[in-house]
Amino acid sequence: MLEEKNDNLSVELNETDGSVENESQEVIQTEVAEVKETPTETIIEVENEVTDEVTTDAITAIENENAAENEDETLKERHEIPMLDYEALSMEELVSELIKLNEIEKIMSVKDHVEEIKNSFLAKYYHLIEEKKEAFLAENLESKEDFHYNFPLKSKFDEFYSAYRDKKNIHFKNLQNNLKNNLEVRLAIVEELKELINPQENIKDNLKHFNELRERWKNAGAIPKDKYNHVWNNYHFHVENFYDYLHLDREARDLDFKHNLDLKLKIISRVEELVGETDVNKAFRELQDLHKIWKEDIGPVSREHREEIWNKFSDLTKQMHDKRELLFEAQRGTEKENLERKNNIIAQIELLATEKVNAHSQWQSQIDKVEALRNAFFAAGKVPAEVNESTWTAFKTAVRNFNTFKNSFYKDIKKEQQDNLNKKMELVERAKALQSSEDFETTTPLMKQIQEEWKLIGHVPRKYSDSIWAEFKTACNHYFEVLKTQRSEANSEEMESFEKKKAYLEQLREFQLIGEHKTDLDAIKLHIENWKGFGKVPFARRHIEGKFNKILDALFEKLSLSKKETEMVRFSNRVGNLSESNDTRKLENEKIFIMRKIDEVQNEIFQLENNIQFFTNTKNAKKENSIVLEVRKNIAVQKETLEVWKEKLKQIRSINLES
């Protein structure tokens, strides 16, 4: 670092009377008058005017930065805290970074960082809320319920941002009071410095007062940044005037000029080294400090060197500024690449907002694609500041258009789901109405039919899905639990019937006819009635009915019954079993079968009678041949068969009427 400068200016004075040798009082008075004509409020450049516009920009940028840091020294630390690409962070990560920054005591040093975090977080948050609101309105087309969305992370962000803001306000309030007081002190020092150039005063006393003022200036503290350059330039102007006023003691003044020149040359030497530094930002930061030392800590040099060293220092500053601009240009190139990526992402989202799909699964795929593109957009990095707002607006518009396009599909789905809900609510009511029925034979197929209808109905709105299914399931389960209990009881009765029939079957095997037709027939009928009296057997044991029928068939074979009588006894036994089992479906099928057979037999008789007419109309009609006789015989058989079928139909209809 540069060596400390001796701020106390000393001159050789005549020890006897304190007067300055070899100068006339008249010359001093003239110079003092010229100096005092310059008003304090005028902004004056300490060094020679710089004509190079780029160089002026570079120096102005440094001076503005130094002015800001002079106002609040905590701003120096912001260079030590890395400025992350907050736009690329998730909302959770942004809150985490805010918490970290909130722990730093020097609150203004994190101001820019916190503002970047706030802007990035709120942009993402409002975008999220907008999407949630659109989804809510799409799902609640006819609802008057207001949209509310609880996002705990937003509350956490508000908590820590409020804490930062309170600390900043306290800091800023204290800072403003101090800056105002310090400004008044410095302006007063400038006025006192201006009054020092007075030939009526003793030079030795003026020098002592001058050194006191310089010490007070050094300890006066920070002032508002918008006053910084104005006040400092005026201060240096009057310091230089005082130095010029002291040309009466050239030896002392030249010694101080030389000391200041050495220090400024060392600064120039250091800046020459900084021009070759690879870390441009770090080098530029040190250049700022050197400018501050040049301006605030080191006094003027002799007029013969002022322009030369200032121009050299300015030229080096311009070189550093140019290197920094190249770095910024590279960063701007990166920002342009980021802009291209973001525009490409926006274009992809806009394309997805035009691709029509017709299934929920396909829309889920589209939604996943947009979500991936959203994440890629946020991770793409910064874009040029002048297009940042328009790029963000284009992105939001693209996403909003996609959501609108998507929601139009789900609005149609919503209407269909509402219709499905109404259908399922109707089935729930039907199931509830039947759940306590004890007419199991009638109710069971109805309940099964309701369940099948339920399966055929599509989705209902998600918020009703679980509740309506629970209602329906409860009603169905209640009924089938009761049915299960009833069947369990019935099964025990059926097993008891099976055991009885099994024992009775063994007895029946020993039964013998006595040869008397009526007595034997009555005995067979009695066996049939007894068998029916035992009741139903379990479905898995139904084979015992076949064994009973075989024994009956054997007994009927031994009886000299007519074909019709035998057929009707067997039929009565069979339909009796169906009637007892309440198997209405089989009874109905049996009736349909009989009616079909009646039609077939009637058609056959009609055809045969037509054939007879054909033969009787011939020349040999009086003498019937064997063919005609065979046809007449066949007609008689068919008529007898028809009577049997009609008798069966009459009997099965009587069963239906009784039921």
Side-chain angles (χ1 to χ4, degrees), residues 25 61 66 121 127 132 187 208 228 351 397 630 650:
Q25 195 72 10
N66 284 336
F121 182 89
H127 184 61
K132 295 295 182 183
L187 290 175
K208 182 180 179 182
Y228 174 77
L351 180 61
T397 301
E630 184 65 27
K650 181 179 178 181

Side-chain angles (χ1 to χ4, degrees), residues 431-572:
K432 284 182 176 180
L434 295 173
Q435 66 180 349
S436 299
S437 172
E438 294 183 357
D439 184 1
F440 300 110
E441 295 298 329
T442 303
T443 305
T444 299
L446 292 177
M447 289 295 282
K448 288 182 178 180
Q449 181 183 350
I450 289 173
Q451 289 179 321
E452 289 301 318
E453 289 179 24
W454 181 280
K455 293 176 184 178
L456 297 175
I457 299 174
H459 295 290
V460 301
R462 185 178 301 177
K463 63 181 178 180
Y464 300 113
S465 178
D466 292 341
S467 59
I468 195 170
W469 167 245
E471 278 191 85
F472 182 70
K473 185 178 179 181
T474 299
C476 291
N477 285 350
H478 176 78
Y479 174 78
F480 284 107
E481 285 296 327
V482 175
L483 176 63
K484 182 179 178 182
T485 302
Q486 187 273 340
R487 284 181 173 175
S488 178
E489 295 172 356
N491 284 343
S492 61
E493 294 177 359
E494 289 176 355
M495 282 302 298
E496 184 178 350
S497 298
F498 173 74
E499 294 298 329
K500 290 179 179 179
K501 285 188 174 182
K502 184 178 178 183
Y504 191 80
L505 198 63
E506 294 302 321
Q507 296 178 16
L508 189 59
R509 294 182 193 279
E510 303 298 326
F511 173 72
Q512 296 292 329
L513 297 175
I514 61 175
E516 294 182 5
H517 177 80
K518 187 176 182 308
T519 303
D520 289 340
L521 181 59
D522 290 341
I524 292 173
K525 289 181 178 181
L526 180 61
H527 284 305
I528 292 173
E529 291 301 319
N530 290 340
W531 183 266
K532 290 179 180 179
F534 292 135
K536 293 192 296 182
V537 299
F539 183 81
R541 302 288 194 275
R542 293 291 297 276
H543 61 275
I544 198 170
E545 300 292 341
K547 294 180 179 180
F548 176 70
N549 288 331
K550 283 185 178 181
I551 294 175
L552 286 184
D553 288 342
L555 292 175
F556 282 129
E557 288 293 331
K558 294 178 180 180
L559 280 176
S560 54
L561 292 175
S562 67
K563 180 178 180 182
K564 177 181 178 182
E565 190 176 14
T566 301
E567 185 68 22
M568 290 306 301
V569 172
R570 290 177 176 175
F571 179 76
S572 296

